[in-house]
Amino acid sequence: MSAYGELQLDALGDATRRGILEALLSGPLPVGKLADRFPVSRPAISQHLRVLERAQLVTHRTSGTRRVYRLDPEGIDSLREYFDRFWTQALASFKQKVEEPSANGD
Amino acid sequence: MSAYGELQLDALGDATRRGILEALLSGPLPVGKLADRFPVSRPAISQHLRVLERAQLVTHRTSGTRRVYRLDPEGIDSLREYFDRFWTQALASFKQKVEEPSANGD
DNA sequence: ACTTACCGTAAGTGAGTGCTTACGGAGAGC
DNA sequence: GCTCTCCGTAAGCACTCACTTACGGTAAGT
């Protein structure tokens, strides 16, 4: 599951995609409503949604001619696990640095 | 502090920079040692470090002619707060969806 | 003082990518 | 059945950005 971490982080590397995710925090939205919130065209949003879906950060449900997108709990959670590991190791690193001031001879 | 969130997320959008951060999890490293771990040139690493430092994800300490880089606890923590808010809202969103199955008439 | 090691910066290049316009398909309403 | 809405996809373009080579500057060693 962590193999998608790369895709997910890359997906987060774009401001518009982050905006899409934040917009979906308030609940599912169809593509049109989503596109209205951003200064780019609807196809652009569609392409971003494809990237986000490929990274397992969003899912869609077809409702008639509409595509309602929502956050993907699994992907979000796997991303959380990735960061949790990072925080844990980072804290360990900081702690170690404090305990071992500068006893390096090289 | 959250104003740097954009810079930080953008910084995480590159695989090499993520690799640098992960390498620094094991402790501080000079630029040269850092560059040896990646298939790119040393100047490329320097440029990545500049981006990371601008995003407050790393700091450097000059030791003679060496520049020893390490993770920046403050930036890392502010990033963690950003994600924590995201998880919280995401969970609330998922929960709300469950409680309100599909009572939408539109 | 001269050389060597370590590193940042500048300039230039190529590939990736985010955007637009144009198009086609599928479902809902009259 | 026809139209209209909603949306994905294709093609093309411009811009960003990651990378390289070249250069200069500083500190340590002899």
Side-chain angles (χ1 to χ4, degrees):
Chain A
M1 51 86 221
S2 63
Y4 287 89
E6 295 287 306
L7 281 178
Q8 294 179 336
L9 270 300
D10 282 339
L12 289 182
D14 180 81
T16 301
R17 282 195 290 267
R18 290 194 294 269
I20 291 176
L21 290 179
E22 293 181 3
L24 293 180
L25 278 175
S26 306
L29 282 174
V31 179
K33 300 284 185 184
L34 216 38
D36 290 341
R37 300 195 179 196
F38 300 93
V40 298
S41 68
R42 182 192 51 74
I45 300 295
S46 274
Q47 293 166 20
H48 282 307
L49 285 169
R50 190 189 341 185
V51 174
L52 289 172
E53 191 158 28
R54 204 157 167 272
Q56 295 194 311
L57 289 173
V58 303
T59 326
H60 77 271
R61 184 174 62 88
T62 300
S63 168
T65 167
R66 285 188 189 170
R67 282 209 177 186
V68 181
Y69 281 86
R70 67 180 189 88
L71 297 179
D72 184 345
E74 290 194 29
I76 301 284
D77 197 64
S78 88
L79 189 63
R80 204 181 75 89
E81 291 178 5
Y82 178 90
F83 275 105
D84 272 348
R85 278 196 298 275
F86 190 80
W87 311 138
T88 304
Q89 288 189 257
L91 282 190
S93 176
F94 300 150
K95 197 174 181 180
Q96 181 181 0
K97 184 184 66 71
V98 170
E99 292 175 351
E100 203 164 324
S102 63
N104 197 337
D106 181 356
Chain B
M1 53 86 220
S2 61
Y4 287 88
E6 295 287 307
L7 282 177
Q8 294 178 336
L9 270 301
D10 281 339
L12 290 181
D14 181 82
T16 301
R17 283 196 289 267
R18 290 195 293 269
I20 291 176
L21 290 179
E22 292 181 5
L24 293 180
L25 278 175
S26 305
L29 282 173
V31 179
K33 300 283 183 184
L34 215 39
D36 291 339
R37 300 195 179 196
F38 301 92
V40 297
S41 68
R42 182 192 51 76
I45 300 295
S46 275
Q47 294 167 16
H48 282 308
L49 286 170
R50 189 189 341 182
V51 174
L52 289 171
E53 191 158 29
R54 203 155 168 273
Q56 294 192 311
L57 289 172
V58 302
T59 325
H60 76 271
R61 185 174 62 89
T62 300
S63 168
T65 167
R66 285 187 190 173
R67 284 209 175 185
V68 181
Y69 282 86
R70 66 180 190 88
L71 297 181
D72 184 345
E74 289 194 30
I76 301 284
D77 198 63
S78 87
L79 190 61
R80 204 182 74 88
E81 291 178 5
Y82 177 90
F83 275 105
D84 271 348
R85 278 196 298 275
F86 190 79
W87 311 139
T88 303
Q89 289 190 255
L91 281 190
S93 175
F94 300 150
K95 197 174 182 181
Q96 181 180 1
K97 184 184 66 71
V98 170
E99 292 175 351
E100 204 165 323
S102 63
N104 198 337
D106 182 346

